């Protein structure tokens, strides 16, 4: 083999490799960033105003009621764009409590109004809910120090004084 055909072959191989590399880098650079997961949207949107309550704290019917009333979400307009609302609804329904926690006549949107919640907190003195550190039963983080990590075990509860 003479030198000239070998050089030509080398140029073709290097040219092909370089073209492949440029195409690969171009595809990577133009690829859209990954879409946030449903859970990430839930944490970002809901957690920007209050504790992103774990979906297991309400049954699907309660989360449906919450999502259907975002324009009047406990006195605030918490409306979302359709894509975010759909993602958050999927996340909540996928992790919802398997059965109803509540009783007829209760507000299905309020975790703290369910019979389950009241039963879990029956030992909490009524005065504790009114202390400045707690203010309301919806302030889980006042007593459950790991509420943001969805940990509500009784061993980690600390009632504020």
């Amino acid at each position: 083999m003479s030198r000239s055909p070998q050089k030509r072959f080398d140029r073709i191989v290097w040219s092909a490799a370089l073209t492949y590399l440029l195409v690969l880098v171009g595809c990577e650079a133009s690829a859209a960033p990954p879409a946030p997961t449903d859970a990430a949207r839930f944490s970002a949107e809901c957690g920007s105003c209050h504790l992103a309550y774990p979906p297991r704290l309400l049954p699907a019917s309660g989360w449906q009621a919450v999502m259907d009333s975002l324009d009047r979400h406990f006195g605030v307009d918490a409306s979302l764009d359709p894509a975010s609302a759909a993602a958050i609804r999927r996340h909540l329904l996928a992790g919802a409590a398997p059965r109803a926690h509540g009783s007829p006549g209760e507000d299905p949107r309020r975790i703290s109004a369910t019979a389950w919640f009241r039963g879990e907190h029956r030992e909490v003195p009524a005065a504790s809910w009114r202390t400045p550190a707690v203010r309301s039963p919806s302030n889980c983080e006042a007593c459950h120090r790991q509420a943001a990590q969805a940990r509500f075990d009784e061993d980690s509860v600390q009632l504020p004084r």
Side-chain angles (χ1 to χ4, degrees):
M1 222 176 170
S2 74
R3 224 167 151 86
S4 181
Q6 182 62 46
K7 282 186 177 180
R8 208 172 313 139
F9 177 77
D10 289 348
R11 276 193 203 140
I12 291 170
V13 169
W14 279 107
S15 184
L18 184 58
T19 301
Y20 175 76
L21 196 61
L22 289 173
V23 167
L24 188 64
V25 169
C27 288
E28 288 292 322
S30 66
T37 64
D38 294 351
R41 276 192 170 157
F42 165 72
S43 294
E45 290 290 347
C46 302
S48 68
C49 295
H50 56 72
L51 174 69
Y53 299 105
R56 71 177 188 267
L57 297 183
L58 276 182
S61 60
W63 290 123
Q64 290 282 23
V66 168
M67 294 304 295
D68 290 345
S69 62
L70 287 177
D71 60 332
R72 52 193 187 288
H73 186 66
F74 302 102
V76 176
D77 184 351
S79 298
L80 297 167
D81 64 272
S84 293
I88 292 168
R89 187 183 299 264
R90 276 192 308 271
H91 173 72
L92 292 170
L93 296 181
R99 57 185 166 65
H101 287 311
S103 303
E106 293 176 341
D107 184 346
R109 302 170 309 141
R110 286 191 183 275
I111 296 166
S112 60
T114 64
W116 166 82
F117 180 93
R118 289 194 312 268
E120 288 292 314
H121 296 85
R122 66 186 167 278
E123 298 154 359
V124 177
S128 294
W129 299 117
R130 295 185 296 271
T131 64
V134 177
R135 297 181 317 278
S136 120
S138 65
N139 184 11
C140 303
E141 293 170 301
C143 303
H144 297 277
R145 305 297 183 194
Q146 297 175 320
Q149 291 79 39
R151 297 206 45 208
F152 298 92
D153 56 308
E154 291 181 23
D155 297 336
S156 64
V157 171
Q158 293 180 345
L159 294 177
R161 300 198 184 272

